[in-house]
Amino acid sequence: PEPSLQDRVEALLSMQKKCFAAGLTTVDDAGIDYHTVLLMDSMQQRNLLKMRVYAMISYDSVNTAYFFKHEKIKSPYLNARAFKVYGDGALGSRGACLLAPYSDQKEHEGFLLHNEAFFQKAARDLFANNFQMNTHCIGDSANRLLLRVYSTMLKGKNDLRWRIEHAQVVDAADFARFANYNILPR
């Protein structure tokens, strides 16, 4: 069953306790829904949740509809100004989208989770609504595509802090795009 509101509150408080015990005072939470962001915000306003959170909202029609209407949340403890988009999968599962085939699977180059038109639309929508785009890209082909998509919106030097999450395999020919468009490899 879906967790109740009380279950969700208790989970966040448990997470906070464990993080504080380990010395963590700030976390990034990637791919969460707007309900969770609003719950964190209300708990912080009631001084229950004292953990600083950089929240990456899951990019989907429900979450974008909410935040494009209500705008981002920026407080001393909560920063919900970014959407998490998924470009490809992971290397271990052979889902990372590579320029060349996997060395142990000669006919397989991985795959993108969406087509280029999807990423272009996401970039346009997020840019127009003043949100960051943070895209999961492991493979060099996925990184190249998203760097190209980002560059169409960012138009050179900027302080928008769009990110490529993981940037694990990047072709050397693409390094300059990170610097030229102020894209953060994470």
Side-chain angles (χ1 to χ4, degrees):
E2 287 291 317
S4 68
L5 177 60
Q6 187 60 36
D7 291 337
R8 295 171 68 212
V9 167
E10 289 174 10
L12 286 168
L13 292 174
S14 174
M15 173 271 314
Q16 174 177 259
K17 183 178 179 181
K18 290 175 183 175
C19 287
F20 284 168
L24 297 173
T25 60
T26 304
V27 295
D28 288 7
D29 199 349
I32 61 177
D33 63 31
Y34 82 92
H35 297 289
T36 303
V37 173
L38 297 178
L39 177 59
M40 289 178 181
D41 188 40
S42 72
M43 290 175 67
Q44 288 177 342
Q45 289 178 27
R46 291 179 293 154
N47 207 29
L48 296 172
L49 192 62
K50 299 170 181 142
M51 170 75 66
R52 285 184 175 86
V53 179
Y54 173 79
M56 287 183 252
I57 306 142
S58 184
Y59 182 79
D60 65 31
S61 61
V62 173
N63 291 325
T64 55
Y66 179 84
F67 276 102
F68 291 177
K69 181 178 178 184
H70 294 94
E71 299 185 350
K72 53 189 149 194
I73 298 173
K74 179 74 168 105
S75 72
Y77 287 91
L78 181 60
N79 189 348
R81 65 178 176 145
F83 277 85
K84 176 76 180 250
V85 179
Y86 293 89
D88 64 354
L91 281 169
S93 64
R94 308 299 186 272
C97 190
L98 302 177
L99 294 170
Y102 281 82
S103 63
D104 61 347
Q105 230 177 348
K106 298 297 183 192
E107 293 87 35
H108 185 67
E109 297 167 351
F111 52 87
L112 292 170
L113 296 176
H114 304 281
N115 62 28
E116 185 171 353
F118 171 89
F119 297 117
Q120 288 286 0
K121 180 184 181 323
R124 279 192 309 274
D125 290 349
L126 295 174
F127 185 83
N129 287 280
N130 200 29
F131 278 91
Q132 287 174 279
M133 185 169 175
N134 297 346
T135 307
H136 167 107
C137 292
I138 301 267
D140 48 6
S141 181
N143 273 282
R144 177 170 289 169
L145 171 65
L146 269 297
L147 286 166
R148 189 173 64 242
V149 167
Y150 280 22
S151 69
T152 65
M153 298 309 313
L154 300 178
K155 309 283 188 213
K157 297 292 183 185
N158 64 80
D159 192 28
L160 297 177
R161 304 185 62 76
W162 284 28
R163 295 165 35 165
I164 298 288
E165 298 291 326
H166 311 298
Q168 205 167 336
V169 180
V170 180
D171 189 275
D174 297 321
F175 289 168
R177 284 191 190 234
F178 284 100
N180 293 342
Y181 299 97
N182 291 67
I183 299 167
L184 303 175
R186 304 290 292 187

mmCIF file of all heavy atoms in Angstrom, residues 65-95:
data_model
loop_
_atom_site.group_PDB
_atom_site.id
_atom_site.type_symbol
_atom_site.label_atom_id
_atom_site.label_comp_id
_atom_site.label_asym_id
_atom_site.label_seq_id
_atom_site.Cartn_x
_atom_site.Cartn_y
_atom_site.Cartn_z
ATOM 1 N N ALA A 65 3.377 20.582 -14.031
ATOM 2 C CA ALA A 65 2.137 21.374 -13.959
ATOM 3 C C ALA A 65 2.043 22.103 -12.629
ATOM 4 O O ALA A 65 1.681 23.286 -12.578
ATOM 5 C CB ALA A 65 0.918 20.477 -14.163
ATOM 6 N N TYR A 66 2.398 21.415 -11.545
ATOM 7 C CA TYR A 66 2.332 22.054 -10.231
ATOM 8 C C TYR A 66 3.359 23.191 -10.122
ATOM 9 O O TYR A 66 3.014 24.322 -9.786
ATOM 10 C CB TYR A 66 2.548 21.043 -9.098
ATOM 11 C CG TYR A 66 2.501 21.753 -7.769
ATOM 12 C CD1 TYR A 66 1.290 22.003 -7.148
ATOM 13 C CD2 TYR A 66 3.658 22.247 -7.170
ATOM 14 C CE1 TYR A 66 1.227 22.718 -5.960
ATOM 15 C CE2 TYR A 66 3.613 22.957 -5.994
ATOM 16 C CZ TYR A 66 2.395 23.194 -5.389
ATOM 17 O OH TYR A 66 2.342 23.907 -4.225
ATOM 18 N N PHE A 67 4.618 22.884 -10.403
ATOM 19 C CA PHE A 67 5.664 23.884 -10.165
ATOM 20 C C PHE A 67 5.671 25.008 -11.185
ATOM 21 O O PHE A 67 6.063 26.121 -10.858
ATOM 22 C CB PHE A 67 7.040 23.227 -10.040
ATOM 23 C CG PHE A 67 7.297 22.719 -8.658
ATOM 24 C CD1 PHE A 67 7.184 21.375 -8.374
ATOM 25 C CD2 PHE A 67 7.605 23.587 -7.631
ATOM 26 C CE1 PHE A 67 7.393 20.908 -7.085
ATOM 27 C CE2 PHE A 67 7.817 23.136 -6.333
ATOM 28 C CZ PHE A 67 7.711 21.788 -6.055
ATOM 29 N N PHE A 68 5.257 24.769 -12.402
ATOM 30 C CA PHE A 68 5.184 25.862 -13.372
ATOM 31 C C PHE A 68 4.079 26.839 -12.982
ATOM 32 O O PHE A 68 4.145 28.017 -13.307
ATOM 33 C CB PHE A 68 4.956 25.336 -14.780
ATOM 34 C CG PHE A 68 6.138 24.586 -15.363
ATOM 35 C CD1 PHE A 68 6.032 24.003 -16.604
ATOM 36 C CD2 PHE A 68 7.345 24.455 -14.685
ATOM 37 C CE1 PHE A 68 7.093 23.306 -17.171
ATOM 38 C CE2 PHE A 68 8.413 23.756 -15.224
ATOM 39 C CZ PHE A 68 8.289 23.182 -16.478
ATOM 40 N N LYS A 69 3.094 26.367 -12.244
ATOM 41 C CA LYS A 69 2.019 27.248 -11.761
ATOM 42 C C LYS A 69 2.403 27.939 -10.449
ATOM 43 O O LYS A 69 2.107 29.101 -10.245
ATOM 44 C CB LYS A 69 0.739 26.436 -11.561
ATOM 45 C CG LYS A 69 -0.440 27.255 -11.082
ATOM 46 C CD LYS A 69 -1.673 26.397 -10.949
ATOM 47 C CE LYS A 69 -2.837 27.241 -10.418
ATOM 48 N NZ LYS A 69 -4.028 26.416 -10.191
ATOM 49 N N HIS A 70 3.080 27.212 -9.555
ATOM 50 C CA HIS A 70 3.385 27.730 -8.221
ATOM 51 C C HIS A 70 4.818 28.218 -8.047
ATOM 52 O O HIS A 70 5.152 28.770 -7.018
ATOM 53 C CB HIS A 70 3.085 26.660 -7.169
ATOM 54 C CG HIS A 70 1.637 26.335 -7.074
ATOM 55 N ND1 HIS A 70 1.080 25.288 -7.767
ATOM 56 C CD2 HIS A 70 0.634 26.920 -6.399
ATOM 57 C CE1 HIS A 70 -0.209 25.233 -7.510
ATOM 58 N NE2 HIS A 70 -0.512 26.213 -6.693
ATOM 59 N N GLU A 71 5.668 27.959 -8.979
ATOM 60 C CA GLU A 71 7.080 28.355 -8.958
ATOM 61 C C GLU A 71 7.906 27.561 -7.961
ATOM 62 O O GLU A 71 7.402 26.776 -7.174
ATOM 63 C CB GLU A 71 7.213 29.868 -8.723
ATOM 64 C CG GLU A 71 6.544 30.683 -9.816
ATOM 65 C CD GLU A 71 6.782 32.172 -9.658
ATOM 66 O OE1 GLU A 71 7.305 32.599 -8.623
ATOM 67 O OE2 GLU A 71 6.440 32.893 -10.600
ATOM 68 N N LYS A 72 9.190 27.806 -7.993
ATOM 69 C CA LYS A 72 10.125 27.056 -7.164
ATOM 70 C C LYS A 72 10.043 27.476 -5.701
ATOM 71 O O LYS A 72 9.492 28.525 -5.372
ATOM 72 C CB LYS A 72 11.540 27.212 -7.696
ATOM 73 C CG LYS A 72 11.996 28.629 -7.892
ATOM 74 C CD LYS A 72 13.310 28.653 -8.633
ATOM 75 C CE LYS A 72 13.384 29.895 -9.463
ATOM 76 N NZ LYS A 72 14.433 29.856 -10.429
ATOM 77 N N ILE A 73 10.636 26.639 -4.854
ATOM 78 C CA ILE A 73 10.708 26.928 -3.420
ATOM 79 C C ILE A 73 12.167 27.157 -3.081
ATOM 80 O O ILE A 73 13.022 26.313 -3.363
ATOM 81 C CB ILE A 73 10.143 25.766 -2.580
ATOM 82 C CG1 ILE A 73 8.661 25.556 -2.896
ATOM 83 C CG2 ILE A 73 10.368 26.028 -1.094
ATOM 84 C CD1 ILE A 73 8.059 24.327 -2.243
ATOM 85 N N LYS A 74 12.460 28.279 -2.479
ATOM 86 C CA LYS A 74 13.836 28.594 -2.061
ATOM 87 C C LYS A 74 13.749 29.183 -0.671
ATOM 88 O O LYS A 74 13.242 30.283 -0.466
ATOM 89 C CB LYS A 74 14.466 29.601 -3.044
ATOM 90 C CG LYS A 74 15.879 30.004 -2.677
ATOM 91 C CD LYS A 74 16.861 28.888 -2.983
ATOM 92 C CE LYS A 74 18.289 29.373 -2.888
ATOM 93 N NZ LYS A 74 18.991 28.945 -1.709
ATOM 94 N N SER A 75 14.188 28.415 0.307
ATOM 95 C CA SER A 75 14.213 28.868 1.701
ATOM 96 C C SER A 75 15.588 28.527 2.271
ATOM 97 O O SER A 75 16.395 27.887 1.596
ATOM 98 C CB SER A 75 13.098 28.167 2.502
ATOM 99 O OG SER A 75 13.411 26.801 2.705
ATOM 100 N N PRO A 76 15.865 28.926 3.491
ATOM 101 C CA PRO A 76 17.184 28.589 4.054
ATOM 102 C C PRO A 76 17.462 27.082 4.127
ATOM 103 O O PRO A 76 18.604 26.662 4.105
ATOM 104 C CB PRO A 76 17.134 29.199 5.458
ATOM 105 C CG PRO A 76 16.156 30.324 5.347
ATOM 106 C CD PRO A 76 15.116 29.838 4.370
ATOM 107 N N TYR A 77 16.405 26.258 4.175
ATOM 108 C CA TYR A 77 16.605 24.822 4.323
ATOM 109 C C TYR A 77 16.120 23.982 3.146
ATOM 110 O O TYR A 77 16.390 22.791 3.094
ATOM 111 C CB TYR A 77 15.933 24.324 5.610
ATOM 112 C CG TYR A 77 16.690 24.760 6.832
ATOM 113 C CD1 TYR A 77 16.381 25.950 7.478
ATOM 114 C CD2 TYR A 77 17.738 23.995 7.316
ATOM 115 C CE1 TYR A 77 17.095 26.360 8.587
ATOM 116 C CE2 TYR A 77 18.462 24.402 8.422
ATOM 117 C CZ TYR A 77 18.136 25.588 9.049
ATOM 118 O OH TYR A 77 18.856 25.995 10.137
ATOM 119 N N LEU A 78 15.400 24.582 2.216
ATOM 120 C CA LEU A 78 14.885 23.820 1.095
ATOM 121 C C LEU A 78 15.097 24.591 -0.200
ATOM 122 O O LEU A 78 14.732 25.760 -0.301
ATOM 123 C CB LEU A 78 13.384 23.533 1.270
ATOM 124 C CG LEU A 78 12.717 22.724 0.163
ATOM 125 C CD1 LEU A 78 13.359 21.332 0.009
ATOM 126 C CD2 LEU A 78 11.225 22.572 0.458
ATOM 127 N N ASN A 79 15.700 23.898 -1.167
ATOM 128 C CA ASN A 79 15.935 24.481 -2.476
ATOM 129 C C ASN A 79 15.339 23.534 -3.515
ATOM 130 O O ASN A 79 15.911 22.495 -3.823
ATOM 131 C CB ASN A 79 17.436 24.658 -2.703
ATOM 132 C CG ASN A 79 17.747 25.455 -3.938
ATOM 133 O OD1 ASN A 79 16.886 25.710 -4.766
ATOM 134 N ND2 ASN A 79 19.001 25.839 -4.071
ATOM 135 N N ALA A 80 14.131 23.873 -4.000
ATOM 136 C CA ALA A 80 13.448 23.062 -5.008
ATOM 137 C C ALA A 80 13.341 23.904 -6.266
ATOM 138 O O ALA A 80 12.335 24.547 -6.517
ATOM 139 C CB ALA A 80 12.081 22.617 -4.507
ATOM 140 N N ARG A 81 14.428 23.915 -7.041
ATOM 141 C CA ARG A 81 14.491 24.732 -8.258
ATOM 142 C C ARG A 81 15.011 23.951 -9.449
ATOM 143 O O ARG A 81 15.351 24.516 -10.474
ATOM 144 C CB ARG A 81 15.367 25.952 -8.028
ATOM 145 C CG ARG A 81 16.822 25.587 -7.774
ATOM 146 C CD ARG A 81 17.680 26.809 -7.586
ATOM 147 N NE ARG A 81 19.035 26.433 -7.254
ATOM 148 C CZ ARG A 81 20.097 27.083 -7.636
ATOM 149 N NH1 ARG A 81 19.977 28.146 -8.384
ATOM 150 N NH2 ARG A 81 21.287 26.681 -7.273
ATOM 151 N N ALA A 82 15.066 22.629 -9.304
ATOM 152 C CA ALA A 82 15.629 21.798 -10.359
ATOM 153 C C ALA A 82 14.735 20.597 -10.630
ATOM 154 O O ALA A 82 14.072 20.089 -9.727
ATOM 155 C CB ALA A 82 17.017 21.302 -9.956
ATOM 156 N N PHE A 83 14.748 20.175 -11.879
ATOM 157 C CA PHE A 83 14.054 18.949 -12.256
ATOM 158 C C PHE A 83 15.069 17.904 -12.670
ATOM 159 O O PHE A 83 16.047 18.207 -13.356
ATOM 160 C CB PHE A 83 13.083 19.202 -13.416
ATOM 161 C CG PHE A 83 11.766 19.750 -12.967
ATOM 162 C CD1 PHE A 83 11.602 21.115 -12.779
ATOM 163 C CD2 PHE A 83 10.691 18.914 -12.713
ATOM 164 C CE1 PHE A 83 10.389 21.629 -12.355
ATOM 165 C CE2 PHE A 83 9.480 19.420 -12.285
ATOM 166 C CZ PHE A 83 9.323 20.780 -12.111
ATOM 167 N N LYS A 84 14.843 16.672 -12.240
ATOM 168 C CA LYS A 84 15.699 15.543 -12.595
ATOM 169 C C LYS A 84 15.104 14.858 -13.815
ATOM 170 O O LYS A 84 13.941 14.459 -13.830
ATOM 171 C CB LYS A 84 15.787 14.564 -11.426
ATOM 172 C CG LYS A 84 16.577 13.286 -11.709
ATOM 173 C CD LYS A 84 18.065 13.513 -11.718
ATOM 174 C CE LYS A 84 18.825 12.237 -12.004
ATOM 175 N NZ LYS A 84 19.550 11.711 -10.896
ATOM 176 N N VAL A 85 15.926 14.741 -14.861
ATOM 177 C CA VAL A 85 15.549 14.094 -16.113
ATOM 178 C C VAL A 85 16.491 12.908 -16.286
ATOM 179 O O VAL A 85 17.648 12.966 -15.868
ATOM 180 C CB VAL A 85 15.679 15.086 -17.292
ATOM 181 C CG1 VAL A 85 15.315 14.431 -18.609
ATOM 182 C CG2 VAL A 85 14.835 16.336 -17.043
ATOM 183 N N TYR A 86 16.021 11.836 -16.896
ATOM 184 C CA TYR A 86 16.849 10.656 -17.085
ATOM 185 C C TYR A 86 17.188 10.496 -18.559
ATOM 186 O O TYR A 86 16.299 10.383 -19.395
ATOM 187 C CB TYR A 86 16.145 9.409 -16.549
ATOM 188 C CG TYR A 86 16.010 9.465 -15.046
ATOM 189 C CD1 TYR A 86 14.902 10.065 -14.458
ATOM 190 C CD2 TYR A 86 17.012 8.975 -14.231
ATOM 191 C CE1 TYR A 86 14.789 10.161 -13.085
ATOM 192 C CE2 TYR A 86 16.918 9.066 -12.854
ATOM 193 C CZ TYR A 86 15.796 9.660 -12.288
ATOM 194 O OH TYR A 86 15.703 9.756 -10.924
ATOM 195 N N GLY A 87 18.503 10.490 -18.855
ATOM 196 C CA GLY A 87 18.969 10.379 -20.227
ATOM 197 C C GLY A 87 19.209 8.951 -20.666
ATOM 198 O O GLY A 87 18.822 8.547 -21.752
ATOM 199 N N ASP A 88 19.876 8.182 -19.815
ATOM 200 C CA ASP A 88 20.193 6.791 -20.148
ATOM 201 C C ASP A 88 20.233 5.985 -18.869
ATOM 202 O O ASP A 88 19.876 6.477 -17.801
ATOM 203 C CB ASP A 88 21.513 6.695 -20.938
ATOM 204 C CG ASP A 88 22.758 7.142 -20.181
ATOM 205 O OD1 ASP A 88 22.644 7.652 -19.047
ATOM 206 O OD2 ASP A 88 23.868 6.999 -20.732
ATOM 207 N N GLY A 89 20.690 4.726 -18.990
ATOM 208 C CA GLY A 89 20.761 3.845 -17.840
ATOM 209 C C GLY A 89 22.177 3.787 -17.277
ATOM 210 O O GLY A 89 22.967 4.707 -17.434
ATOM 211 N N ALA A 90 22.494 2.671 -16.652
ATOM 212 C CA ALA A 90 23.776 2.486 -15.979
ATOM 213 C C ALA A 90 24.706 1.581 -16.794
ATOM 214 O O ALA A 90 24.268 0.828 -17.659
ATOM 215 C CB ALA A 90 23.546 1.863 -14.605
ATOM 216 N N LEU A 91 25.995 1.667 -16.501
ATOM 217 C CA LEU A 91 26.978 0.838 -17.203
ATOM 218 C C LEU A 91 26.810 -0.644 -16.881
ATOM 219 O O LEU A 91 26.846 -1.489 -17.770
ATOM 220 C CB LEU A 91 28.401 1.275 -16.843
ATOM 221 C CG LEU A 91 28.927 2.511 -17.551
ATOM 222 C CD1 LEU A 91 30.219 2.991 -16.902
ATOM 223 C CD2 LEU A 91 29.138 2.240 -19.028
ATOM 224 N N GLY A 92 26.629 -0.964 -15.616
ATOM 225 C CA GLY A 92 26.557 -2.367 -15.202
ATOM 226 C C GLY A 92 25.438 -3.147 -15.866
ATOM 227 O O GLY A 92 25.592 -4.329 -16.173
ATOM 228 N N SER A 93 24.325 -2.492 -16.119
ATOM 229 C CA SER A 93 23.186 -3.155 -16.764
ATOM 230 C C SER A 93 23.240 -3.028 -18.280
ATOM 231 O O SER A 93 22.338 -3.480 -18.979
ATOM 232 C CB SER A 93 21.880 -2.557 -16.253
ATOM 233 O OG SER A 93 21.799 -1.191 -16.625
ATOM 234 N N ARG A 94 24.290 -2.387 -18.801
ATOM 235 C CA ARG A 94 24.489 -2.116 -20.225
ATOM 236 C C ARG A 94 23.425 -1.161 -20.767
ATOM 237 O O ARG A 94 23.068 -1.200 -21.925
ATOM 238 C CB ARG A 94 24.507 -3.396 -21.076
ATOM 239 C CG ARG A 94 25.455 -4.498 -20.632
ATOM 240 C CD ARG A 94 26.896 -4.025 -20.654
ATOM 241 N NE ARG A 94 27.835 -5.081 -20.380
ATOM 242 C CZ ARG A 94 28.240 -5.445 -19.157
ATOM 243 N NH1 ARG A 94 27.777 -4.843 -18.105
ATOM 244 N NH2 ARG A 94 29.143 -6.391 -18.997
ATOM 245 N N GLY A 95 22.931 -0.297 -19.901
ATOM 246 C CA GLY A 95 21.920 0.674 -20.304
ATOM 247 C C GLY A 95 22.476 2.047 -20.605
ATOM 248 O O GLY A 95 21.782 2.890 -21.168
#
